[in-house]
């Protein structure tokens, strides 16, 4: 399983043909209390960079972009009733969607955790 990050603060964890996508801990900290999450429809085809989800917090609304191309095969329906799950475990149970990966090599251009932590330090 490989976990990668985007400059837009999404994370993607690839296990075989399945990619799990969410936002980073840094992103949820910047957003504050998450009050609503709109996840995509199962079966939706996503290209890298497409809008995958929308997150609304007490501070702002933000789009979440697909870090990799694929078909949505599962969404985290628990976020509808409990959007604060994103704040509680952004990089675990607060995932947004699972994609059937079309081209795993797209993840090669994303940052690993160490590179992402350096990137975030540069934003401070």
């Amino acid at each position: 399983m490989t976990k990668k990050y985007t400059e837009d603060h999404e994370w993607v964890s690839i296990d075989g043909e399945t990619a799990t996508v969410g936002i980073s801990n840094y992103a949820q900290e910047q957003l504050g209390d998450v009050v609503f999450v709109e996840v995509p429809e199962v079966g939706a085809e996503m290209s890298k960079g497409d809008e995958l989800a929308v997150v609304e917090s007490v501070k702002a609304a933000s789009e979440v972009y697909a870090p990799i191309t694929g078909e949505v095969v599962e969404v985290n329906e628990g976020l509808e009733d409990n959007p604060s799950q994103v704040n509680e475990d952004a990089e675990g149970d607060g995932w947004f969607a699972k994609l059937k990966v079309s081209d795993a090599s797209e993840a090669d251009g994303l940052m690993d955790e160490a590179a992402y932590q350096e990137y975030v330090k540069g934003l401070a």
Side-chain angles (χ1 to χ4, degrees):
M1 189 179 310
T2 305
K3 194 172 201 177
K4 299 282 187 128
Y5 296 84
T6 71
E7 291 183 356
D8 292 322
H9 309 289
E10 292 93 8
W11 60 265
V12 58
S13 178
I14 299 173
D15 187 10
E17 293 185 339
T18 304
T20 305
V21 178
I23 62 171
S24 69
N25 278 320
Y26 175 83
Q28 68 84 17
E29 288 172 4
Q30 296 301 307
L31 285 167
D33 293 335
V34 174
V35 295
F36 178 76
V37 178
E38 181 182 322
V39 294
E41 296 285 329
V42 171
E45 294 285 341
M46 295 285 160
S47 294
K48 183 177 181 179
D50 283 355
E51 184 178 304
L52 177 80
V54 176
V55 179
E56 291 183 23
S57 72
V58 293
K59 291 182 180 177
S62 296
E63 291 81 23
V64 176
Y65 301 104
I68 196 163
T69 299
E71 178 186 352
V72 177
V73 294
E74 186 178 349
V75 296
N76 188 349
E77 294 176 357
L79 295 179
E80 185 175 320
D81 293 330
N82 186 16
S84 65
Q85 202 169 21
V86 175
N87 295 114
E88 295 162 6
D89 193 9
E91 297 192 26
D93 290 341
W95 60 275
F96 292 176
K98 294 187 178 190
L99 306 177
K100 182 178 178 187
V101 177
S102 297
D103 182 3
S105 69
E106 288 179 342
D108 294 343
L110 303 176
M111 294 178 274
D112 64 17
E113 186 166 1
Y116 178 71
Q117 294 304 323
E118 285 300 314
Y119 172 73
V120 168
K121 282 182 188 175
L123 300 176

